[in-house]
Amino acid sequence: MRTKKAIAVLLAVVILAIPFAVVSSAASAPEIIAQPIKTVYTDCEKFNPQGLVVSFDGEEIPYTPIDADFAFVPGLDEYLTVGTNADGEDVPTNTIEVYYKNQYAGTVTIEVSHVLGEVTFLSEAGHGQYCLGCGKVHNYSEHNIPEYIPNDDGGLFIQQTETGKCLDCHGEVTRNIPGSEGFQFIFGGEMTDFESEIIGYFYMIVVSLIQALAGIR
């Protein structure tokens, strides 16, 4: 009889202990309890977990570079990136996933910004700034040219050009001056199709004369 009672008591103890074991196992998941010291970055930098502390099995565990139980996404060997929203606009807030002993411990919220170089001439249409991290062009805009200076390089059939210097990127832009051909001044204003045809014939005559004179020599 005493043996049966002892077995019954033992079974009762085991049955009661099982839920506590399950709860204890569930409570062993790691959790971030202290954030890293550095939380503001540029996209020329990599994440630095110094100062990060996780709680695991009732113990506080600070991050150290030699502790292989820590893992991060993105990894510590990857350069950080600036996020974007659905409209393609920059979103400086980013997150780092933290794992300890292959278990998810939480996320670290950081801010990542671009490192922009000087305003650079990109084309005749405008200028912008290259990011030293991602390499993309930012702040593209038209040139700021207050004045164009004629180059006096036009002719009877060639438009004159003018050149201006951008105050922002210091690049020079050269463009044609509409209606600056020599024959425009002769006929005045924009030429009609008939006037253009006359000029075409005249041009052919001049070329023929030049060729004939060259042949005489």
Side-chain angles (χ1 to χ4, degrees):
M1 181 66 71
R2 291 180 178 178
T3 303
K4 291 183 178 179
K5 287 184 178 180
I7 293 174
V9 171
L10 181 60
L11 289 173
V13 171
V14 171
I15 291 172
L16 291 173
I18 289 175
F20 288 105
V22 172
V23 172
S24 176
S25 176
S28 66
E31 181 182 0
I32 297 174
I33 59 174
Q35 295 290 316
I37 298 172
K38 182 176 176 64
T39 57
V40 179
Y41 293 86
T42 69
D43 57 1
C44 290
E45 296 179 291
K46 301 173 183 178
F47 179 61
N48 181 2
Q50 183 181 357
L52 176 71
V53 180
V54 299
S55 175
F56 184 69
D57 280 345
E59 183 180 358
E60 294 184 1
I61 305 169
Y63 166 81
T64 60
I66 61 174
D67 192 339
D69 289 326
F70 280 93
F72 305 90
V73 178
L76 301 185
D77 59 342
E78 299 180 58
Y79 287 101
L80 298 171
T81 59
V82 179
T84 55
N85 59 22
D87 297 325
E89 300 171 332
D90 288 344
V91 178
T93 303
N94 213 329
T95 56
I96 303 292
E97 295 180 1
V98 180
Y99 296 84
Y100 185 75
K101 290 185 178 295
N102 296 321
Q103 297 185 64
Y104 177 73
T107 59
V108 173
T109 301
I110 60 175
E111 290 187 9
V112 185
S113 59
H114 294 289
V115 181
L116 301 181
E118 296 181 353
V119 179
T120 303
F121 179 93
L122 298 176
S123 68
E124 296 288 319
H127 53 243
Q129 295 172 277
Y130 283 104
C131 174
L132 304 182
C134 67
K136 296 180 179 178
V137 174
H138 297 267
N139 301 328
Y140 181 85
S141 61
E142 295 181 355
H143 292 297
N144 178 18
I145 302 176
E147 180 184 11
Y148 282 89
I149 299 175
N151 295 315
D152 297 326
D153 55 354
L156 289 178
F157 302 97
I158 301 175
Q159 290 183 339
Q160 183 180 182
T161 64
E162 57 183 3
T163 300
K165 189 171 185 178
C166 177
L167 298 180
D168 299 327
C169 69
H170 308 295
E172 291 189 347
V173 175
T174 299
R175 64 184 185 183
N176 291 327
I177 303 176
S180 60
E181 302 94 330
F183 273 104
Q184 291 283 6
F185 295 104
I186 296 175
F187 288 92
E190 186 176 349
M191 290 186 294
T192 64
D193 293 339
F194 177 71
E195 291 171 340
S196 298
E197 188 175 351
I198 292 176
I199 290 176
Y201 284 125
F202 179 76
Y203 177 76
M204 292 175 61
I205 293 172
V206 171
V207 171
S208 298
L209 288 174
I210 293 174
Q211 291 175 342
L213 291 173
I216 293 175
R217 291 181 183 179

